Amino acid sequence: MKKSTILLPVMLVAIGALSSCGNGRAKNDPKTLNVVLYNAGWGDEWLKDIITKWESENEGYHVNLTSKYDVNTLINRRLASSKNTDDLYIATDNGWKNYAAQGAFAPLDDLMDETVDGVKVREKINDEFERTLDFKDAKGNEHVYRLPWTACMGGIYYNAKMFEENGWSVPTTTAELTALVQNIVENPVEVKGDDTRAVKPFVYTGENTDYFDYTVFNWWLQTAGYDKVREFYNYSSAENFNYQTAGSAYEGLYKVVKYWRSLFGSANNVVPGSLSYGNHQAQQDFFNGKAAMMFNGDWIYNETLNYGTPKNFELKLMKTPTFEGATQTDAAYVIGSDQYIAVPATSIKQDLAKSFLKVLMSNWSLSNFTNKSHGFLAYKNTDQSDIDRTNTYVDSYLNVRNSIAKTTTDASEAKIYLDGTLNNCWVKHATRPFLPLLQDSSKTVEECFDALYSNAKATFSSAK
């Protein structure tokens, strides 16, 4: 899954209403709910099931679904159009902050006090997204303009069949992970079907090096501690980005990136060509047995289903190995701060959209999403009895999730974050250190973190 990280300005482009995907209903029909979905990673079968249920509970009403991969450009155009007839967006783009600030989304405050499965909606939303709910628009009005979509946990995914066949134990500490990598390199295992190649410990996608975040941030939480990382996300000062401050959160991030470099800085440890790989090419090499492990997000399972019938592949997620000197082992980073579910302010069917959202948040829907998409929506499921744990991947994933007591995202209430001046702990997404370190073996982690500190000082200075 390629996650969008670009803040899209609202373009002043007017377009006419599009046709209704062949169902013969006009898009401005007051009894037709027009839903737009970013269709990547988790697919759309889960949403089609919600549509069927909602339509069965609302006789005479229908849903017109626009489901596509390149959905951000479409949403951008439609929000700028005076003829926009969309009623609900489910998408991934940090631009949701721009849209909310400009008043392009309808307030959802009243929905927060309604109940689903006997729980108020505000309490139904996962705790890690608490700080992303109330948002001040450009006029200073504070409302809930955006709801979260999924609560992904990334990490180290491994080929369980390969581990079993070779007697490799799943590492529980970084020392064990280092030893496993060394074992795979020093005791080569032939790639099945290709006796000219040896299995590598890792494959990665050079196109999407943000995939490394999901494991590195878990290690960061382990070393710096949950409270320090959460405090860092207040973005109170550029000094928070000084990695040489002993005992600081950023010193902890520096330490774990140093360890990451020890894993991925050697050509012996990775599938050749990974630097040029897109996410699907890297995942296909993993699927085809060329690597034992991959750093990724939970959409990987659904995407591997498209690669054919697995012969020597069984996907599982390991709990992120405990970092040496860890102070906390029950915390994890959750992907999803750039995702949004929102109702356009121009919608004349906002009540219908809200009733649809209540079905989406229900326990039935949450379990169905896990069964169909093998991920988790960003809402608390108080009844997981319908989740299919005979699926060994889902079972491994649930075991990891259930071992985590504290979760966080990189979202913040700080103005410098909300106005898009600063994106996350890397200052800007483009300054994340993984790609330059992979591209240039002579570059040091210290050089990258010096640059991050400099960028933070410049960013905070210009934001005053």
Side-chain angles (χ1 to χ4, degrees):
M1 176 180 174
K2 174 60 179 172
K3 298 173 69 59
S4 170
T5 56
I6 300 174
L7 293 177
L8 295 174
V10 175
M11 300 181 293
L12 299 178
V13 179
I15 62 170
L18 301 181
S19 64
S20 58
C21 298
N23 62 13
R25 305 185 191 99
K27 283 199 69 174
N28 58 356
D29 182 346
K31 289 193 173 185
T32 297
L33 188 69
N34 298 308
V35 178
V36 177
L37 171 71
Y38 172 52
N39 182 357
W42 302 288
D44 58 16
E45 291 303 314
W46 65 276
L47 189 60
K48 290 177 180 177
D49 290 341
I50 294 174
I51 290 170
T52 298
K53 185 173 179 62
W54 183 83
E55 288 181 342
S56 71
E57 295 173 354
N58 294 272
E59 186 176 353
Y61 290 86
H62 307 279
V63 173
N64 170 55
L65 175 63
T66 299
S67 173
K68 59 186 299 184
Y69 182 84
D70 184 22
V71 76
N72 289 332
T73 302
L74 180 147
I75 291 174
N76 189 51
R77 291 202 311 266
R78 290 186 177 178
L79 283 174
S81 172
S82 60
K83 299 179 180 180
N84 185 25
T85 56
D86 293 334
D87 302 303
L88 185 64
Y89 295 132
I90 304 173
T92 297
D93 177 20
N94 265 313
W96 73 261
K97 290 174 282 186
N98 283 349
Y99 298 141
Q102 295 167 2
F105 292 158
L108 301 173
D109 304 54
D110 55 344
L111 179 61
M112 296 298 99
D113 291 325
E114 295 192 29
T115 60
V116 176
D117 298 322
V119 179
K120 282 191 175 182
V121 168
R122 184 177 285 272
E123 297 170 1
K124 186 84 170 171
I125 297 168
N126 281 4
D127 295 341
E128 62 266 17
F129 294 104
E130 175 187 356
R131 297 202 292 187
T132 71
L133 295 178
D134 300 300
F135 185 91
K136 283 187 179 179
D137 61 25
K139 297 180 180 179
N141 300 314
E142 187 170 278
H143 297 287
V144 176
Y145 290 105
R146 162 263 190 190
L147 295 176
W149 177 11
T150 71
C152 316
M153 281 189 184
I156 305 177
Y157 294 81
Y158 67 101
N159 184 342
K161 186 166 290 188
M162 184 182 290
F163 270 60
E164 182 179 356
E165 289 176 349
N166 292 286
W168 299 334
S169 297
V170 178
T172 60
T173 67
T174 51
E176 291 176 1
L177 177 59
T178 300
L180 172 63
V181 169
Q182 185 176 353
N183 180 26
I184 295 172
V185 171
E186 294 181 354
N187 300 282
V189 173
E190 183 181 294
V191 174
K192 291 190 175 181
D194 187 351
D195 59 8
T196 67
R197 305 184 65 167
V199 172
K200 295 293 186 179
F202 300 106
V203 65
Y204 68 88
T205 163
E207 181 181 68
N208 298 321
T209 55
D210 54 310
Y211 285 11
F212 290 122
D213 280 356
Y214 318 141
T215 302
V216 166
F217 287 175
N218 286 344
W219 280 327
W220 184 25
L221 285 161
Q222 290 180 11
T223 56
Y226 177 86
D227 291 337
K228 277 189 180 179
V229 172
R230 289 277 287 185
E231 176 63 27
F232 177 90
Y233 285 135
N234 289 328
Y235 298 124
S236 57
S237 167
E239 283 305 305
N240 293 342
F241 293 80
N242 185 354
Y243 72 99
Q244 297 189 62
T245 302
S248 68
Y250 219 61
E251 183 196 37
L253 185 58
Y254 160 75
K255 287 179 179 178
V256 301
V257 172
K258 286 272 285 187
Y259 176 70
W260 168 89
R261 180 69 178 282
S262 75
L263 297 177
F264 288 88
S266 171
N268 292 328
N269 295 351
V270 299
V271 172
S274 289
L275 185 60
S276 64
Y277 280 180
N279 59 317
H280 285 292
Q281 191 172 2
Q283 288 170 180
Q284 285 172 338
D285 270 13
F286 182 35
F287 179 84
N288 289 323
K290 296 178 183 178
M293 295 171 284
M294 185 177 187
F295 286 37
N296 212 312
D298 70 7
W299 50 82
I300 183 175
Y301 182 90
N302 250 40
E303 292 189 345
T304 59
L305 295 178
N306 297 318
Y307 301 152
T309 302
K311 296 179 180 178
N312 302 296
F313 182 77
E314 181 185 6
L315 184 69
K316 286 189 178 181
L317 172 66
M318 69 176 71
K319 184 177 181 181
T320 301
T322 301
F323 201 87
E324 183 177 356
T327 61
Q328 187 149 20
T329 60
D330 64 346
Y333 170 73
V334 174
I335 311 161
S337 62
D338 58 345
Q339 301 174 10
Y340 66 93
I341 298 176
V343 176
T346 52
S347 170
I348 62 172
K349 292 159 277 184
Q350 294 180 18
D351 288 341
L352 287 183
K354 292 171 186 176
S355 72
F356 187 87
L357 289 177
K358 290 175 69 173
V359 178
L360 183 149
M361 298 174 192
S362 68
N363 288 339
W364 164 83
S365 170
L366 302 181
S367 294
N368 186 64
F369 183 83
T370 301
N371 291 335
K372 290 292 180 67
S373 299
H374 308 93
F376 288 80
L377 292 173
Y379 304 89
K380 297 169 186 172
N381 188 351
T382 55
D383 180 10
Q384 297 185 355
S385 60
D386 289 334
I387 293 179
D388 178 17
R389 296 194 68 153
T390 63
N391 181 307
T392 55
Y393 165 70
V394 170
D395 186 63
S396 73
Y397 189 9
L398 271 173
N399 287 336
V400 171
R401 292 184 72 97
N402 291 340
S403 70
I404 301 300
K406 294 184 176 181
T407 53
T408 188
T409 69
D410 54 357
S412 174
E413 296 170 320
K415 183 179 182 298
I416 197 169
Y417 168 82
L418 291 176
D419 68 10
T421 304
L422 183 149
N423 294 150
N424 66 4
C425 68
W426 302 126
V427 189
K428 296 285 187 181
H429 293 296
T431 58
R432 124 182 333 105
F434 306 124
L435 187 57
L437 289 169
L438 291 166
Q439 290 174 325
D440 184 355
S441 60
S442 68
K443 186 177 287 292
T444 67
V445 176
E446 289 77 14
E447 287 174 328
C448 288
F449 272 75
D450 284 336
L452 285 163
Y453 183 33
S454 296
N455 280 324
K457 287 189 286 188
T459 299
F460 274 79
S461 176
S462 65
K464 290 181 179 178

